[in-house]
Amino acid sequence: MSWQKNMTLSAATYVLKAVATPTWHVQLLQLNTKRNQLGKIEPAKSLYNATYKTCEFWKYVKRIRVFNNVAQQLLSKSGGNMSLDSPLSLGTYVFKHDHVPPDTSMLKFMYWPNTIYTLIGTIDDQRPDKTLEQLCHYEINGTVVKSC
């Protein structure tokens, strides 16, 4: 995963073996860096926390308009070849120069001064007995900056 000069994100995922039932767990946290009157930093707030099979991704995300627009932007064919198929085939999947426009409702919703946002996710394989085998873990940290 790398940041490009034009403030876009690019990433590659290498799937080394076919995944029968790929499952994503996504958690979006808001971390306030400002101290309260007692000098303590508030604990992280969970803005989104969900686990779903990749083939059912749009079923869940379409219900939440704020996330739907960003998901469409990131997973469009012009943004790469990330697959939501089940089973997930062996291969290389990429996000190319992904950028979330500043007027996106999700960024307006998330803007809060002195705040760090963390996107934590895992990609798992759901076994026939419904247990999950973790295949990948990622964490993306960032801030939403308001510019005039």
Side-chain angles (χ1 to χ4, degrees), residues 28 32 45 49 62 110 113 125 129 144:
L28 180 62
N32 191 349
K45 294 178 188 173
N49 189 358
K62 282 185 178 180
M110 289 174 55
D125 185 9
D129 64 356
V144 179

Side-chain angles (χ1 to χ4, degrees), residues 77-98:
K77 290 298 177 194
S78 62
N81 68 340
M82 194 62 185
S83 176
L84 298 176
D85 293 341
S86 186
L88 181 62
S89 302
L90 168 84
T92 301
Y93 299 96
V94 296
F95 283 122
K96 297 182 292 187
H97 303 293
D98 285 329

Side-chain angles (χ1 to χ4, degrees), residues 50-136:
T51 301
Y52 38 79
K53 295 177 186 173
T54 56
C55 58
E56 297 175 347
F57 176 77
W58 291 115
K59 176 177 146 183
Y60 294 104
V61 172
K62 282 185 178 180
R63 295 181 196 170
I64 307 168
R65 192 178 332 178
V66 170
F67 296 117
N68 185 27
N69 296 339
V70 173
Q72 285 181 350
Q73 175 89 20
L74 296 176
L75 295 172
S76 67
K77 290 298 177 194
S78 62
N81 68 340
M82 194 62 185
S83 176
L84 298 176
D85 293 341
S86 186
L88 181 62
S89 302
L90 168 84
T92 301
Y93 299 96
V94 296
F95 283 122
K96 297 182 292 187
H97 303 293
D98 285 329
H99 174 73
V100 179
D103 61 345
T104 304
S105 59
M106 181 172 157
L107 295 181
K108 290 177 184 177
F109 164 73
M110 289 174 55
Y111 178 72
W112 196 263
N114 303 312
T115 303
I116 297 171
Y117 294 91
T118 300
L119 179 67
I120 299 172
T122 61
I123 301 173
D124 306 294
D125 185 9
Q126 186 177 26
R127 297 180 177 150
D129 64 356
K130 303 293 184 197
T131 60
L132 298 175
E133 175 190 0
Q134 189 177 74
L135 304 174
C136 172

